[in-house]
Amino acid sequence: MDTRGACALTLLLACVCPLICGASWMWLAVTSAGVPELPGCRGLSLSDHQRELCIRKPFLLPSLQDGAQLAVAECQNQFRHERWNCSTSSEPPLFGYELTSGTKETAFIHAVMAAGLVHAITRICSQGNMSECGCDARLQNGGSVTEGWHWGGCSDHIQYGTWFSRKFIDNLPKNSSVRRDSYTLSTMNQHNSEAGRQAIEQTMSTDCRCHGVSGSCAIRTCWRMMAPFERVGKYLKERYERSIQVPNQSRKKSRRKELSRPVDKSQLVYINKSPNYCVQDRRRGIAGTQGRRCNRASTGPDSCSLLCCGRGYNTRVERHVQRCECKFVWCCYVRCRRCESMNDMHTCK
Ligand SMILES: *[C@@H]1O[C@H](CO)[C@@H](O)[C@H](O)[C@H]1NC(C)=O
Ligand SMILES: *[C@@H]1O[C@H](CO)[C@@H](O)[C@H](O)[C@H]1NC(C)=O
Ligand SMILES: *[C@@H]1O[C@H](CO)[C@@H](O)[C@H](O)[C@H]1NC(C)=O
Ligand SMILES: *[C@@H]1O[C@H](CO)[C@@H](O)[C@H](O)[C@H]1NC(C)=O
């Protein structure tokens, strides 16, 4: 990003955004490295309670940005082959219509953002030099001598990050964990944010290292650690695919079906059916799939038939030039030939 872009963005974050985009911390995801310094808690597009928290814990500001970037990048990674590809818009709100449409996509966005924040904060806690959080102390002296292992090292302590993510994103009143049979957009978002945080816990694993005479592994030191965020993204994508439609609370009782069972904490829920994302719809900020690259050999979502919604595709030949047949020449360089290949490239009509 050039300096002008960076300035415009800072300006956008600081001035315009709170007025028109309902103040979302998600914008931190696009405050790229091109912006030399974050404008600080006061200059950010945060809601009042978020700004207050940010000012109380300014050392978490870099993690807020890390978490937002991690989450957006992972959303785009998980959806790169789908019709809706998690693209962000250049104007607020960051995810366009999908941030508030109440669809499965809205659900995924909220889950992955909340999870990203837990992940980013937990990582700095585990670096061990924060005064507010650190490694999981409960796991420091336990273990099982008879089974030959004990807890050691630094176990990721997700409780602090989870607490902060809840407080920062949801800001719930104390007794809000009621059993629901219908949802508003805001309770739907809260549910899905919590499911995102659960995903961090669900994907944690235990790692061990062997000790003992010449690697005999007589005794092992073990610690709990978070999965790489990509694994969390994959887990949430699976939840997205199995997400559950729930009734809209503001619908007249007669028109809505009550949920027969409460929804499990770790499931994603949505209120509205998704559009098919096939054709451009400017009003709803849907890009459509025209011009998207498809894979003729695939049978998955990136296949030409699914991605192009049956409209067909254009094929053009693309010339690739690569270094090839590289040989090591004594001494000391590598000599290569230039190889050309022709590949068919398919794009949706
Ligand atoms: C998503 O697809 C649109 C075309 O429909 C493309 O312009 C955009 O770059 C894609 N975004 C990502 C993040 O891949
Ligand atoms: C913690 O340590 C890392 C590297 O050791 C350093 O980059 C970071 O600034 C430190 N954070 C604090 C809050 O001291
Ligand atoms: C919290 O619970 C108390 C008593 O259980 C109730 O009176 C109050 O209305 C509840 N508050 C909210 C915000 O639900
Ligand atoms: C729920 O229904 C009401 C009334 O029909 C509507 O205004 C609102 O947008 C709906 N909520 C969502 C998330 O679609």
Side-chain angles (χ1 to χ4, degrees), residues 100-102 184-185 248-251 271-272:
T100 52
S101 61
T184 62
L185 182 61
N248 174 349
Q249 197 168 62
S250 11
R251 285 279 166 84
I271 294 173
N272 296 317

Side-chain angles (χ1 to χ4, degrees), residues 17-148:
C17 199
L19 299 176
I20 55 176
C21 69
S24 171
W25 70 287
M26 297 178 185
W27 275 92
L28 281 166
V30 293
T31 328
S32 77
V35 182
E37 257 177 53
L38 285 171
C41 300
R42 285 177 207 281
L44 286 174
S45 62
L46 302 173
S47 68
D48 289 344
H49 102 274
Q50 287 179 342
R51 182 167 305 110
E52 201 181 298
L53 254 180
C54 178
I55 289 169
R56 255 170 51 207
K57 301 182 188 300
F59 51 87
L60 290 181
L61 188 49
S63 299
L64 284 171
Q65 184 176 32
D66 279 356
Q69 284 173 346
L70 192 65
V72 170
E74 191 50 36
C75 181
Q76 296 184 345
N77 175 41
Q78 291 298 331
F79 285 86
R80 67 195 184 281
H81 296 315
E82 310 278 333
R83 288 178 190 164
W84 177 73
N85 63 0
C86 196
S87 54
T88 51
S89 67
S90 54
E91 48 201 89
L94 182 60
F95 293 97
Y97 166 76
E98 291 317 330
L99 187 63
T100 52
S101 61
T103 57
K104 288 159 79 167
E105 290 70 34
T106 315
F108 186 87
I109 292 168
H110 283 84
V112 81
M113 295 301 296
L117 190 51
V118 177
H119 209 269
I121 290 180
T122 303
R123 267 183 320 191
I124 57 155
C125 293
S126 292
Q127 282 178 8
N129 53 3
M130 304 278 289
S131 59
E132 299 222 352
C133 63
C135 306
D136 195 344
R138 294 168 313 167
L139 295 184
Q140 249 145 28
N141 295 310
S144 163
V145 180
T146 46
E147 286 167 39

Side-chain angles (χ1 to χ4, degrees), residues 308-323:
C308 308
C309 311
R311 293 187 305 262
Y313 52 90
N314 298 315
T315 300
R316 109 171 160 246
V317 178
E318 230 186 14
R319 187 166 147 257
H320 279 287
V321 181
Q322 272 178 316
R323 280 148 55 91

Side-chain angles (χ1 to χ4, degrees), residues 180-185 187-188 244-253 255-261 263 269-272:
R180 289 185 200 292
D181 51 19
S182 62
Y183 289 74
T184 62
L185 182 61
T187 55
M188 171 190 144
I244 295 173
Q245 188 169 21
V246 291
N248 174 349
Q249 197 168 62
S250 11
R251 285 279 166 84
K252 293 254 157 46
K253 268 243 175 355
R255 285 186 56 203
R256 73 170 202 240
K257 275 194 302 191
E258 300 282 317
L259 267 178
S260 46
R261 279 187 297 151
V263 180
V269 299
Y270 64 95
I271 294 173
N272 296 317

